[in-house]
């Protein structure tokens, strides 16, 4: 009885930088993406806060409130 052993692939292979400047470039990209995400989340929070203020308390119940 013979079985082939196939290694499981659990995720992307770790990136090996081709040159010493690559990690700094990736770090810069991650910082920019995090800043953009933070700005989007801040805008979403502001939108949700203003929408909550406009919703009457005795009106239709919000599906997100318990």
């Amino acid at each position: 009885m013979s079985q082939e052993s196939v290694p499981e692939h659990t995720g992307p292979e770790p990136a090996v930088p081709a040159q010493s400047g690559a990690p700094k470039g990736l770090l810069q990209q991650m910082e920019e993406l995090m800043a953009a995400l933070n700005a989007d989340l801040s805008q979403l929070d502001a939108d949700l806060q203003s929408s909550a203020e406009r919703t009457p308390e005795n009106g239709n119940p919000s599906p997100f409130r318990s």
Side-chain angles (χ1 to χ4, degrees), residues 8 11 16 21 23 25 32 34 42 49 51 54-55 57-58 60 66:
E8 291 186 25
V16 178
E32 290 172 3
M34 290 299 294
S42 295
Q49 292 293 331
S51 129
R54 287 182 277 144
T55 304
E57 287 297 322
N58 58 359
N60 293 333
S66 51

Side-chain angles (χ1 to χ4, degrees), residues 1-57:
M1 188 189 284
S2 67
Q3 279 186 333
E4 289 186 33
S5 176
V6 179
E8 291 186 25
H9 187 68
T10 59
E13 306 252 342
V16 178
Q19 52 184 302
S20 63
K24 186 175 181 182
L26 291 175
L27 179 60
Q28 181 65 33
Q29 288 179 4
M30 288 300 296
E31 288 175 349
E32 290 172 3
L33 288 171
M34 290 299 294
L37 178 61
N38 192 24
D40 288 346
L41 289 174
S42 295
Q43 182 62 48
L44 178 60
D45 183 48
D47 291 346
L48 289 173
Q49 292 293 331
S50 67
S51 129
E53 290 172 2
R54 287 182 277 144
T55 304
E57 287 297 322

